[in-house]
């Protein structure tokens, strides 16, 4: 919802200021999905609001629940009919993490990613980003009496190619007067947009940064993450070094593992060596994501070969996690979001 516009509207209509706070709390703290639910407001005001403002700028079309119940994928329709997806993941008991989309499609076009295959349709507005949260929170509240504990900008799109809108949404999500999720519970995943990493370090030093690396050698990374042609590994290394120096925070390194492409012993050693040019191992958590099928020529390594790669990195002194795939049966896993 465009809260600024709504504030102006209420003022212009002579509605007392305390009503604005009631509306704000209803939308951003109690996660109502319609004005009818806001019983504290007088009926004529609810009607006025209803005629002029929708509570959410994204319209949930469906919510698909994975067999195990640990992943819920939402498909939302936007005002212009385009569709986006967000995924709720139940990583720890009662702890839900929400994966948010920032663009319709993505201009980076990583060849293994379903979102990238479509190219960019358009950027999402700040409201379209925040409202994915509000709609998912409404769902969790009404269906399960549970709450969202963290958000990660890792759905469709490259968040740092829509920096202004993502930043505004992050402020709304973190602002104690609005949603009020702590900055430490907010993470952004980027394919490696160097200027935006520098901006992010200044604007959001308390939030988490994840880098989708996938390869620590120039040629391969040029192919896997085409943004690397604009911001090659040496520039990325320098930006991360400065980021860690100024924020003193750890960086999450995402590495989608694909058989025969980026999972050899040499490549593990290269990854380790590259990270050490940036900072000491204690500043990194390497998150290995076994490739999820998106219909290309790629294959995930076997479970044993995933473990071997992880063990190699651990043997070199790095902290490694292997992402368990939630929601594969609903195509809600990393890289499978295509907004069909
Ligand atoms: N554009 C941002 C954030 C969205 S992509 C980025 O690239 O970081 C979210 C994550 O999903 C990235 O780490 C991406 O590399 C990963 N991903 C994309 N396609 C995938 C696939 N087919 N299997 C597993 N992970 C994939
Ligand atoms: Fe875009 Fe990220 Fe997919 Fe690459 S992996 S195409 S950057 S969404």
């Amino acid at each position: 919802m465009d809260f600024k516009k709504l504030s102006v509207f209420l003022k212009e209509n002579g509605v007392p200021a305390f009503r604005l706070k009631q509306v704000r709390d209803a939308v951003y703290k109690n996660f109502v999905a319609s004005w009818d639910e806001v019983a504290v407001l007088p009926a004529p005001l609810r009607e006025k609001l209803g005629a002029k403002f929708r509570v959410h700028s994204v319209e949930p079309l469906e919510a698909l629940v994975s067999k195990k119940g640990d992943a819920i994928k939402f498909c939302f329709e936007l005002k212009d009919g385009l569709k986006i997806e967000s995924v709720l993941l139940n990583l720890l008991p009662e702890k839900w993490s929400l994966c948010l989309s920032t663009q319709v499609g993505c201009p980076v076009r990583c060849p293994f990613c379903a979102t990238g295959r479509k190219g960019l349709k358009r950027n999402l507005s700040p409201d379209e980003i925040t409202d994915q949260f509000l709609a998912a929170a409404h769902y969790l509240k009404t269906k399960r009496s549970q709450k969202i504990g963290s958000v990660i900008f890792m759905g469709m799109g490259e968040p740092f190619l829509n920096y202004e809108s993502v930043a505004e949404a992050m402020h709304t999500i973190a602002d104690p007067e609005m949603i009020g999720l702590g900055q430490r519970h907010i993470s952004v995943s980027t394919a490696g947009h160097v200027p935006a990493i520098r901006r992010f370090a200044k604007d959001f030093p308390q939030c988490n940064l994840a880098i989708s690396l996938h390869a620590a050698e120039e040629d391969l990374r040029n192919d896997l993450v085409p943004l690397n042609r604009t911001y090659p590994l040496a520039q990325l290394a320098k930006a991360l070094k400065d980021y860690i120096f100024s924020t003193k925070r750890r960086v999450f390194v995402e590495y989608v593992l694909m058989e025969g492409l980026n999972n050899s012993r040499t490549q593990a050693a290269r990854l380790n060596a590259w990270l050490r040019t940036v900072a000491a191992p204690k500043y990194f958590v390497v998150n290995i994501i076994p490739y999820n099928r998106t219909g290309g020529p790629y294959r995930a390594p076997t479970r044993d070969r995933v473990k071997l790669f992880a063990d190699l990195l651990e043997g070199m002194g790095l902290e490694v996690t292997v992402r368990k795939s939630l929601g594969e049966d609903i195509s809600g896993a990393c890289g499978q979001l295509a907004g069909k």
Side-chain angles (χ1 to χ4, degrees):
M1 185 184 65
D2 191 336
F3 189 67
K4 276 185 217 127
K5 219 173 179 181
L6 186 136
S7 315
V8 172
F9 174 78
L10 290 187
K11 234 186 223 153
E12 281 174 358
N13 282 268
V15 178
F18 76 95
R19 293 285 181 213
L20 182 67
K21 185 178 179 316
Q22 288 178 331
V23 170
R24 192 181 65 201
D25 287 351
V27 174
Y28 293 96
K29 299 230 179 274
N30 300 324
F31 308 127
V32 300
S34 70
W35 297 118
D36 295 340
E37 293 168 54
V38 197
V40 291
L41 298 181
L45 178 57
R46 271 183 273 161
E47 240 166 70
K48 240 188 201 166
L49 285 172
K52 192 108 181 134
F53 295 93
R54 273 166 53 182
V55 178
H56 298 152
S57 60
V58 301
E59 173 91 26
L61 294 180
E62 61 176 347
L64 293 172
V65 184
S66 69
K67 265 187 231 120
K68 281 191 233 147
D70 54 1
I72 304 166
K73 178 169 88 169
F74 298 91
C75 177
F76 294 111
E77 187 170 43
L78 308 175
K79 272 197 293 280
D80 54 7
L82 290 171
K83 294 183 181 71
I84 53 163
E85 296 173 350
S86 333
V87 185
L88 270 172
L89 297 170
N90 197 192
L91 299 169
L92 298 164
E94 306 267 309
K95 289 248 174 196
W96 288 90
S97 182
L98 178 64
C99 189
L100 291 170
S101 290
T102 57
Q103 299 181 309
V104 187
C106 179
V108 179
R109 290 182 169 271
C110 304
F112 55 87
C113 169
T115 305
R117 199 160 311 136
K118 304 198 319 173
L120 178 70
K121 293 260 166 57
R122 70 168 172 87
N123 280 334
L124 295 184
S125 69
D127 296 331
E128 287 168 334
I129 299 171
T130 309
D131 293 354
Q132 294 169 59
F133 184 108
L134 297 178
H138 172 81
Y139 178 97
L140 268 192
K141 184 182 172 178
T142 51
K143 304 265 182 196
R144 308 214 184 185
S145 308
Q146 288 180 344
K147 286 185 175 175
I148 298 171
S150 61
V151 304
I152 175 149
F153 290 88
M154 211 195 218
M156 298 164 70
E158 166 51 45
F160 281 171
L161 288 172
N162 186 15
Y163 192 96
E164 303 293 338
S165 296
V166 169
E168 194 175 325
M170 284 171 74
H171 284 303
T172 306
I173 291 169
D175 183 348
E177 293 211 321
M178 305 292 267
I179 295 173
L181 202 69
Q183 291 210 3
R184 282 172 191 267
H185 302 288
I186 301 175
S187 309
V188 177
S189 173
T190 176
H193 192 288
V194 165
I197 292 170
R198 297 191 180 281
R199 236 176 127 180
F200 182 76
K202 287 204 194 78
D203 295 350
F204 299 100
Q206 306 284 323
C207 294
N208 304 297
L209 178 67
I211 300 289
S212 293
L213 196 67
H214 316 320
E217 55 205 283
E218 209 82 76
D219 288 351
L220 183 57
R221 194 164 194 272
N222 281 341
D223 291 345
L224 291 180
V225 187
L227 193 64
N228 195 70
R229 294 174 202 160
T230 314
Y231 306 111
L233 282 166
Q235 279 189 37
L236 182 59
K238 182 71 171 62
L240 292 180
K241 192 177 199 153
D242 296 345
Y243 172 85
I244 291 168
F245 183 79
S246 72
T247 64
K248 308 282 179 284
R249 293 188 70 76
R250 311 176 88 186
V251 169
F252 296 84
V253 176
E254 317 283 328
Y255 198 97
V256 173
L257 209 59
M258 291 171 269
E259 182 57 52
L261 201 62
N262 64 354
N263 67 334
S264 71
R265 276 173 192 276
T266 322
Q267 284 161 322
R270 250 185 223 140
L271 171 58
N272 174 53
W274 186 79
L275 291 177
R276 279 168 198 262
T277 67
V278 176
K282 67 171 182 189
Y283 283 108
F284 299 105
V285 180
V286 179
N287 204 343
I288 293 177
I289 312 172
Y291 168 72
N292 291 311
R293 236 195 288 217
T294 55
Y298 308 104
R299 274 181 310 134
T302 60
R303 198 180 290 225
D304 283 357
R305 306 234 339 124
V306 171
K307 187 170 180 309
L308 175 70
F309 193 82
D311 289 348
L312 282 169
L313 293 175
E314 261 171 9
M316 296 166 193
L318 287 160
E319 186 177 329
V320 181
T321 59
V322 175
R323 174 95 44 93
K324 58 172 181 170
S325 185
L326 301 176
E328 214 168 347
D329 53 324
I330 52 170
S331 285
C334 283
Q336 293 184 321
L337 301 183
K340 278 180 209 110

